[in-house]
Amino acid sequence: MGSQTILAIDQGTTSSRAILFSQMGEVLSVEQKELELFFPHKGWVEQNPEAIWNDVLECCTQIIKLPTQSTALQSPVAIGITNQRETTIVWDRKTGKPIYNAIVWQDRRTAEKCNSLKEQGHEPTVTSKTGLLLDPYFSATKIAWILDNVSGARARAESGELAFGTVDSYLLWKLTDGEVHATDVTNASRTMLYNIVDQKWDEELLTLFNIPTAVLPEVKDNITLFGSTSKNVLGVEVPIGGMAGDQQAALIGQGCFSPGMAKSTYGTGCFALMNIGQTFKQSKNRLLTTIAYRINGEMTYAIEGSIFVAGAAIQWLRDGLGLFDDASESEAIANSVTDNNEVYFVPAFTGLGAPYWRPDAKALIMGLSRESNRAHIVRAALEAQAYQTLDLMESMEIDSGYRSEILRVDGGLVANEFVCQFLADMLNVTIELPKVTETTAWGAAVLAGVHAGLFRNIEDVADAWVAHQCYWPKLSEAERQRLYSGWKRAVGMLIKQ
Ligand code: ADP
């Protein structure tokens, strides 16, 4: 293996990072900048696109300017980009200036618009074409909002003066100094305008959401020459050979290239994606179908489910109840008792997601007795990570027809061994933790690395994937069923409310 390096740009909701990887997946250097979120009104969430760009530029410049021992003054051979998905930016093609702040994926300002489209009966069409649900989360209604609320924007958009892009697309434009207006299929699949079955921007959807075709980026495979960085911008010309939205990049970074393989990322919330192969399947449990990746023109789909509150429940025990000072203490506290003593914690702080879909549900702690103490509550919160995942995986299995024997996990919470073991026990599968823990950034690096010829193809990357740690199920089936039925009883109480 040579000493060539790949630079991954990981532009997330709360921070922007640039990570320099060796071909083996070692992290050689990292630069990171925290990113500010603005909340101008209830339910609105915005970011300054120029701040996003400046942060990314600064991180990349630092890495390229400050060679480490292993990079020995060589520029990276390729750049890969991964990004927060759905976040919407509209900019002026001439000046490159955004005409409004970035509207972040979390923003709910178009909820009424989505509800009225749902009431008019449009959701089945939207879902059959995009795999998504009619929700403000996705870009379509955010773009229309900008065009309708920034003075003169709609006319300028129609005459071709404006460009729309998700963050990947905006960064690509900036890195190439305005040369390239393109996105990749995974990011396109989150706009609610891209037909993931026919693989094109969908005219019927563009009409429904009132979006002029002239604003749209070109849609490309995940591995291709998206463009090269301009010398004016980075000082060096480096090919940008790979792009993918963050969850898809994590799926790739986790080497989930065969149907039935799944990954689950446990951060503040949890995102699970299962590779379902080359045939589009619509969920019957209100999960999303999305594009996993398209390589050499060959499409692979995924089913995606999210758990709204994962690590956030641990944060709440720390900050809301003051049960400990640091999230990592939760493991020893949970292990200080032998079982949950019938205590269940359903952390539905922001409603219940798949497969229940009760947006108004509230959290619940059930089964308290005089013997209950803080350890039982902490243990119940950690156990909830596995019960919620089991609920999600059962829906995924029904939708996909695949039963996964392995779940690859990542994110801050998997530092907790109790959680990993309990996931193995409840899901009755092997839980695998990767050697390369920066799975999202590594996914982007892998795509760019294949393009640059550092890896022959993704099969090679899949073969090279190494587990750092594995957890195997130890619980008896009877005990598993007993625990899960307790969880189901707790959720049942919420649903009855
Ligand atoms: P995000 O990317 O969403 O900011 P991270 O992947 O950094 O999240 O994970 C942070 C989350 O994981 C926090 O909610 C924190 O409470 C939780 N967490 C981190 N370490 C542990 C641990 N050892 N045990 C339990 N929870 C943990």
Side-chain angles (χ1 to χ4, degrees):
M1 287 280 175
S3 62
Q4 289 174 313
T5 60
I6 315 163
L7 179 63
I9 297 172
D10 179 2
Q11 204 301 305
T13 313
T14 53
S15 72
S16 305
R17 300 189 309 155
I19 301 184
L20 193 70
F21 284 103
S22 74
Q23 265 173 278
M24 311 294 288
E26 294 147 326
V27 173
L28 302 175
S29 53
V30 185
E31 289 292 331
Q32 173 160 355
K33 307 270 296 176
E34 298 305 315
L35 185 63
E36 200 177 348
L37 286 157
F38 304 104
F39 308 96
H41 296 285
K42 189 165 185 284
W44 293 29
V45 188
E46 298 183 359
Q47 282 173 334
N48 177 352
E50 287 178 309
I52 295 178
W53 164 239
N54 288 332
D55 289 354
V56 167
L57 180 61
E58 211 171 298
C59 291
C60 292
T61 310
Q62 285 298 328
I63 293 226
I64 286 176
K65 265 211 312 239
L66 290 177
T68 62
Q69 240 180 352
S70 11
T71 60
L73 282 170
Q74 267 184 20
S75 297
V77 293
I79 291 181
I81 302 177
T82 181
N83 57 292
Q84 52 169 317
R85 304 173 302 173
E86 298 102 10
T87 297
T88 298
I89 305 174
V90 177
W91 68 92
D92 182 316
R93 288 183 190 272
K94 256 207 203 98
T95 63
K97 286 238 175 267
I99 64 160
Y100 189 79
N101 266 344
I103 303 187
V104 177
W105 56 274
Q106 298 157 333
D107 190 291
R108 307 295 297 173
R109 81 185 64 189
T110 56
E112 239 170 73
K113 174 76 189 165
C114 289
N115 280 338
S116 96
L117 290 170
K118 255 195 248 176
E119 275 160 24
Q120 290 162 28
H122 292 297
E123 191 167 61
T125 305
V126 169
T127 306
S128 68
K129 287 168 181 264
T130 66
L132 308 175
L133 299 170
L134 225 171
D135 194 275
Y137 192 79
F138 308 104
S139 314
T141 56
K142 298 183 198 295
I143 309 171
W145 189 95
I146 295 177
L147 299 186
D148 290 332
N149 287 276
V150 175
S151 168
R154 187 162 282 286
R156 291 176 66 208
E158 267 153 19
S159 69
E161 287 173 46
L162 302 182
F164 147 74
T166 38
V167 174
D168 56 303
S169 189
Y170 178 65
L171 293 177
L172 180 65
W173 171 279
K174 297 298 261 184
L175 286 164
T176 60
D177 208 9
E179 279 284 304
V180 183
H181 183 211
T183 188
D184 76 275
V185 275
T186 67
N187 275 296
S189 79
R190 315 297 292 189
T191 58
M192 211 156 57
L193 300 170
Y194 191 73
N195 186 318
I196 69 172
V197 184
D198 297 346
Q199 305 186 35
K200 60 177 179 28
W201 294 117
D202 190 282
E203 273 172 37
E204 191 185 353
L205 295 177
L206 289 166
T207 307
L208 179 68
F209 293 109
N210 200 13
I211 310 292
T213 313
V215 300
L216 299 173
E218 187 189 343
V219 182
K220 299 190 165 198
D221 278 7
N222 293 97
I223 300 175
T224 188
L225 180 62
F226 285 89
S228 289
T229 57
S230 160
K231 269 207 166 131
N232 301 336
V233 177
L234 264 191
V236 280
E237 268 181 41
V238 184
I240 300 157
M243 287 198 332
D246 54 10
Q247 297 310 319
Q248 282 88 345
L251 188 75
I252 293 162
Q254 287 277 35
C256 296
F257 297 118
S258 312
M261 290 185 80
K263 74 90 198 173
S264 196
T265 301
Y266 295 87
T268 310
C270 160
F271 285 92
L273 263 77
M274 179 187 274
N275 183 324
I276 60 165
Q278 282 155 12
T279 312
F280 171 82
K281 282 184 194 150
Q282 203 176 310
S283 168
K284 295 186 175 58
N285 293 290
R286 294 180 70 76
L287 299 175
L288 307 176
T289 309
T290 201
I291 294 176
Y293 46 83
R294 193 178 70 193
I295 294 172
N296 295 329
E298 201 167 274
M299 185 72 96
T300 299
Y301 295 97
I303 287 200
E304 172 172 330
S306 45
I307 295 168
F308 304 136
V309 173
I314 316 306
Q315 278 165 352
W316 180 75
L317 294 183
R318 187 193 62 188
D319 305 335
L321 296 188
L323 294 189
F324 42 78
D325 295 325
D326 192 283
S328 61
E329 292 170 46
S330 61
E331 184 173 340
I333 298 172
N335 279 325
S336 72
V337 286
T338 50
D339 60 21
N340 65 9
N341 198 24
E342 303 293 316
V343 177
Y344 289 88
F345 179 8
V346 188
F349 293 110
T350 52
L352 268 176
Y356 308 107
W357 294 107
R358 296 293 172 112
D360 302 324
K362 297 272 193 299
L364 160 152
I365 298 176
M366 185 188 88
L368 296 175
S369 61
R370 284 297 292 273
E371 299 86 59
S372 311
N373 59 36
R374 80 169 176 150
H376 295 117
I377 295 175
V378 171
R379 188 169 174 123
L382 296 180
E383 287 188 357
Q385 311 298 329
Y387 301 131
Q388 294 191 105
T389 309
L390 181 53
D391 286 345
L392 200 58
M393 294 316 269
E394 286 194 334
S395 300
M396 279 193 169
E397 281 170 24
I398 294 167
D399 281 343
S400 69
Y402 291 108
R403 155 132 180 95
S404 183
E405 296 300 327
I406 294 172
L407 179 66
R408 293 187 173 168
V409 299
D410 51 62
L413 226 145
V414 304
N416 190 308
E417 295 200 0
F418 176 88
V419 169
C420 294
Q421 183 57 52
F422 201 68
L423 273 170
D425 286 337
M426 285 315 298
L427 272 62
N428 204 13
V429 301
T430 305
I431 297 294
E432 292 186 344
L433 273 71
K435 184 156 167 266
V436 182
T437 52
E438 293 283 358
T439 52
T440 307
W442 177 237
V446 159
L447 295 171
V450 173
H451 182 260
L454 297 192
F455 315 110
R456 260 190 318 175
N457 48 40
I458 54 163
E459 287 75 24
D460 272 12
V461 175
D463 291 344
W465 190 93
V466 179
H468 171 63
Q469 236 172 330
C470 295
Y471 296 83
W472 291 275
K474 287 184 186 154
L475 217 56
S476 72
E477 185 57 22
E479 186 59 2
R480 199 170 84 84
Q481 290 300 342
R482 189 187 70 75
L483 287 164
Y484 193 42
S485 66
W487 166 260
K488 287 279 192 193
R489 264 200 317 281
V491 171
M493 289 183 70
L494 268 189
I495 290 174
K496 268 192 254 133
Q497 274 175 5

